[in-house]
Amino acid sequence: VSLFGNASYTFKNKYSLSISSRKDGSNLFGVTANDKWKPLWSAGTAWKISNEPFYKSALFPVLRLRATYGYSGNVDLSRTAVAIGSYSPSSSVNLPFVQIVAPQNPSLQWEKIGMFNIGLEFELKEQTLSGSIEYYRKKGTDLYGLSPYDYTAWGGGGYELIRNVANMKGSGLDIVLNSKNINKAFKWNSSMLLNYNSSK
């Protein structure tokens, strides 16, 4: 089950604000109702600097600054909070039996990804050159990872269980440049993307 809402507002064609929220529910997680639901949200703002009265640059007729922050979620549909059994007839006595192939994992939750980015968009006169420069930071918590498990508690023969035990953080820089090299009957456009990313 998923609920989603989105709203945005622009004032005087210069200041913009947007928010979005969603709430996803899945019975793959936890043993209580609160564990099964995950609220996610994001918010962003933008400032079109080139529309301000004090802005006089003829070189960059369009200049816009923007920033966003929000949370997203991730789920591995092969994981579940309840025990998983395999049902089959016995080859020796031909009677049905169930073998537990994965123990219950009631603490299983959604993975959480937090993201912040800030960017500057620009255009030269007649859009001969346009592009953006963007910096972002990303942090993942409660990520899925292998965790030691007492296999004697259930007899499955495994030593590890997938749980929300991992974290990750990273940052990066994106530079996008678009150019109009020839804009006549024959048109020639080019684009370039430069990206740097570091994750741990």
Side-chain angles (χ1 to χ4, degrees):
V1 180
S2 183
L3 307 174
F4 176 76
N6 185 45
S8 63
Y9 180 73
T10 300
F11 181 66
K12 293 187 175 180
N13 200 27
K14 292 186 290 187
Y15 316 109
S16 299
L17 177 67
S18 63
I19 55 174
S20 67
S21 64
R22 62 182 296 166
K23 197 171 185 181
D24 292 337
S26 172
N27 60 0
L28 295 176
F29 299 105
V31 292
T32 65
N34 287 339
D35 293 331
K36 300 178 187 299
W37 286 91
K38 182 63 182 176
L40 307 168
W41 61 273
S42 66
T45 184
W47 177 27
K48 199 165 185 180
I49 306 172
S50 54
N51 282 5
E52 294 286 359
F54 62 79
Y55 188 82
K56 305 297 181 183
S57 175
L59 180 62
F60 294 98
V62 175
L63 193 65
R64 183 171 176 260
L65 181 67
R66 54 178 170 79
T68 59
Y69 183 78
Y71 272 94
S72 62
N74 187 46
V75 55
D76 182 354
L77 296 178
S78 67
R79 309 298 169 191
T80 177
V82 298
I84 301 175
S86 174
Y87 175 86
S88 61
S90 170
S91 59
S92 56
V93 296
N94 200 29
L95 293 175
F97 77 101
V98 175
Q99 180 182 9
I100 302 299
V101 296
Q104 63 179 359
N105 193 2
S107 62
L108 194 67
Q109 304 176 42
W110 293 78
E111 292 184 319
K112 292 177 285 192
I113 310 294
M115 185 84 164
F116 166 77
N117 68 346
I118 184 168
L120 183 68
E121 301 173 357
F122 61 88
E123 290 181 9
L124 268 65
K125 190 176 181 180
E126 297 179 355
Q127 295 184 330
T128 54
L129 183 68
S130 62
S132 63
I133 302 173
E134 182 172 344
Y135 170 78
Y136 61 90
R137 295 184 66 182
K138 186 176 183 179
K139 184 177 181 181
T141 57
D142 293 332
L143 305 183
Y144 298 135
L146 290 174
S147 176
Y149 186 85
D150 181 10
Y151 71 94
T152 61
W154 66 284
Y159 295 90
E160 295 175 319
L161 185 66
I162 297 293
R163 286 176 170 160
N164 301 89
V165 295
N167 295 324
M168 185 186 74
K169 61 180 179 179
S171 60
L173 183 70
D174 287 340
I175 300 176
V176 179
L177 295 176
N178 305 303
S179 64
K180 289 184 177 180
N181 307 316
I182 300 177
N183 192 24
K184 296 182 180 179
F186 174 79
K187 299 183 183 297
W188 175 28
N189 300 331
S190 59
S191 297
M192 182 188 76
L193 169 64
L194 177 65
N195 172 266
Y196 171 79
N197 176 271
S198 174
S199 297
K200 182 178 181 180

